Amino acid sequence: MPPFRRASSKNEDEAYTEGVSQTKRQKGNSGRIIAPSRVTRASVSLDGLLDLFQTGIESRTTSDDPANDLEEASYFERFVGSVLPECLEVRCRVQDSDCRTDSFGTLLRPLSRYEVSAAIKYASAFGAAALPSPAQAAILRKLQLRRERHRTDIQGLDFVNHNSLTSVPPQLPPQPPQSGVFDSLRSIRTTPYETSFLSRLCGRRPPTDSGLVAVDWETRSPWMELMTDVREHYSYAHPASSQSHEVSVPIRYVSLQPSHLQQVHELLARVFWDGINVSDLLQSSPERCSVIAMYGKIVVGAALLSSPQETYITYLAVRAGWHNCQIATTMLYHLIMLNPHRDITLHVAANNPAMLLYNRFGFKAEEFITGFYEDYLDSQSRASMNAFRLRLRR
């Protein structure tokens, strides 16, 4: 598509008239008539102009009298002056027929050859002083290409040497599918989205992990390292026997389920005292009152609240061999996040190192209670009978 400009022929008419007057000046300086190089589509007759040039050529071959040259120049000026308005009017009508409207409603027309050459000269002169922008360079290249097309009379970008091309072999007609193909495709049983690999990629929680809170694939506890050493020593001692491949299992943090109760009770009895029963939490929103750390099917930690209304931490315990690997920190964090905008309170023994953990989360001591654990702990217990009452203000 040729470049377009706003539909106005005033500047071009002035430039064309200036070109004619320049032709007159050139004739006066050299004594010869220089015809303008502009060719415009028009429906006017130029027979008189052609006769003038034919007569001028014949007269030059027979006479070198300067008076004849002046007479020819005078006749040329009169003839051009008579046909120039009509030529400009016809050219304006032709340009109007080529005009079109862009998406903004602006009337545009194709650039003429003179305008293309003038734009190239201006852009070249401007580019000599400073590097043009990519847009200006692209426009300049398009204008130069359009000018070369007109000079070489090439229609379109037909620069390919057709003699160097080879024909493409004929394509075979498409074959219809064999009978039963579509029936076989329809009979394929697909995996439901809830249990598919795509649902796992999209982060959908598997239905088997009811009440899943978080999954940790990175933590390595002392117990896990010990089991790895046992397997490696056994493989070194029995190289001939077949060795089972160790399967990596993450630590999952879930809500309290009925299947967890037995292990949770055993864990709390080892850490605190016997007779603890937390089965009533299953009736009072366990998804907000409990965070259980699971390694496979083993309960390795538990963090429990009394109720969503009271938000009192009753127990926070970690299985032996799983300390110092951020399990208690993770359970406490998720327990706090499951109960936003509510103060959380607890009691902790005065010599319990968990006091440092609670301080990191912002718990502050509100009260010191003497003999708080006398009814629960054995008199020979190393744990302090006194306790601090802590509160996390939200």
Side-chain angles (χ1 to χ4, degrees):
M1 179 186 296
F4 283 80
R5 60 167 293 172
R6 295 183 183 273
S8 174
S9 59
K10 179 179 179 181
N11 295 333
E12 188 176 357
D13 296 344
E14 294 176 355
Y16 189 84
T17 306
E18 182 181 355
V20 174
S21 61
Q22 184 179 2
T23 302
K24 299 176 184 179
R25 291 194 298 270
Q26 290 176 347
K27 188 269 173 189
N29 294 334
S30 62
R32 298 178 60 185
I33 298 176
I34 302 178
S37 60
R38 177 169 183 78
V39 178
T40 306
R41 293 182 298 169
S43 60
V44 298
S45 176
L46 300 179
D47 293 340
L49 184 60
L50 297 177
D51 294 340
L52 173 64
F53 281 114
Q54 184 66 26
T55 304
I57 293 174
E58 293 176 355
S59 63
R60 288 192 194 94
T61 58
T62 58
S63 176
D64 293 333
D65 189 0
N68 293 335
D69 293 341
L70 294 176
E71 183 180 356
E72 294 171 3
S74 176
Y75 179 76
F76 174 79
E77 293 177 1
R78 291 196 303 272
F79 178 80
V80 170
S82 62
V83 300
L84 182 59
E86 187 178 359
C87 290
L88 295 177
E89 182 181 357
V90 172
R91 187 190 63 177
C92 290
R93 289 200 300 268
V94 173
Q95 290 179 347
D96 292 341
S97 64
D98 293 338
C99 291
R100 63 185 65 181
T101 305
D102 63 1
S103 58
F104 299 98
T106 305
L107 192 63
L108 304 176
R109 66 170 178 83
L111 292 175
S112 64
R113 296 185 189 179
Y114 172 80
E115 291 169 335
V116 171
S117 300
I120 294 175
K121 291 180 181 178
Y122 175 79
S124 300
F126 178 78
L131 292 177
S133 64
Q136 294 174 346
I139 295 174
L140 177 60
R141 180 56 187 154
K142 290 182 178 180
L143 294 176
Q144 292 173 345
L145 182 60
R146 183 169 182 264
R147 183 176 62 178
E148 293 298 326
R149 289 182 191 172
H150 286 290
R151 287 180 178 178
T152 56
D153 196 23
I154 295 178
Q155 299 298 329
L157 291 174
D158 191 12
F159 297 117
V160 181
N161 184 7
H162 296 281
N163 296 328
S164 62
L165 301 180
T166 57
S167 60
V168 178
Q171 298 288 336
L172 296 177
Q175 299 295 330
Q178 298 179 0
S179 60
V181 172
F182 291 108
D183 295 336
S184 300
L185 292 175
R186 295 190 186 97
S187 64
I188 297 176
R189 299 182 60 184
T190 59
T191 304
Y193 173 75
E194 291 76 10
T195 58
S196 64
F197 182 70
L198 177 60
S199 66
R200 296 170 61 188
L201 290 177
C202 297
R204 184 182 178 88
R205 295 178 178 178
T208 56
D209 289 340
S210 179
L212 180 65
V213 177
V215 179
D216 183 4
W217 288 89
E218 299 180 357
T219 299
R220 297 285 298 178
S221 68
W223 186 88
M224 297 168 66
E225 297 293 347
L226 176 61
M227 291 298 103
T228 301
D229 292 341
V230 169
R231 292 190 185 92
E232 292 179 354
H233 282 81
Y234 181 83
S235 62
Y236 294 150
H238 305 83
S241 61
S242 59
Q243 305 295 329
S244 60
H245 179 68
E246 181 181 1
V247 179
S248 178
V249 179
I251 299 176
R252 295 181 300 112
Y253 297 90
V254 299
S255 302
L256 180 65
Q257 302 296 324
S259 59
H260 304 152
L261 285 178
Q262 181 179 355
Q263 296 189 62
V264 170
H265 291 160
E266 294 175 357
L267 173 63
L268 297 179
R270 285 195 296 267
V271 176
F272 297 102
W273 50 81
D274 295 333
I276 298 177
N277 191 338
V278 295
S279 57
D280 56 338
L281 285 179
L282 297 175
Q283 309 300 326
S284 58
S285 303
E287 66 278 358
R288 292 183 56 188
C289 299
S290 61
V291 177
I292 307 299
M294 301 287 296
Y295 179 73
K297 296 183 179 181
I298 304 175
V299 175
V300 298
L304 306 174
L305 281 177
S306 57
S307 68
Q309 293 76 25
E310 189 178 359
T311 59
Y312 174 81
I313 298 179
T314 53
Y315 305 104
L316 177 62
V318 177
R319 190 185 186 96
W322 295 80
H323 295 285
N324 302 323
C325 54
Q326 304 298 317
I327 292 180
T329 302
T330 305
M331 290 191 300
L332 182 59
Y333 167 79
H334 289 295
L335 197 63
I336 293 174
M337 297 304 294
L338 290 174
N339 296 271
H341 312 298
R342 297 187 67 88
D343 289 1
I344 298 178
T345 59
L346 59 89
H347 287 89
V348 60
N351 61 349
N352 193 336
M355 177 75 75
L356 301 176
L357 170 64
Y358 298 132
N359 288 336
R360 289 203 304 267
F361 277 91
F363 284 85
K364 303 298 182 183
E366 290 187 335
E367 183 181 4
F368 180 78
I369 305 174
T370 60
F372 181 81
Y373 291 110
E374 288 181 354
D375 296 336
Y376 305 100
L377 296 177
D378 185 82
S379 59
Q380 303 299 324
S381 175
R382 296 181 180 180
S384 174
M385 300 295 178
N386 305 322
F388 285 99
R389 177 181 175 86
L390 306 181
R391 178 183 295 273
L392 175 63
R393 296 190 178 276
R394 310 294 291 276

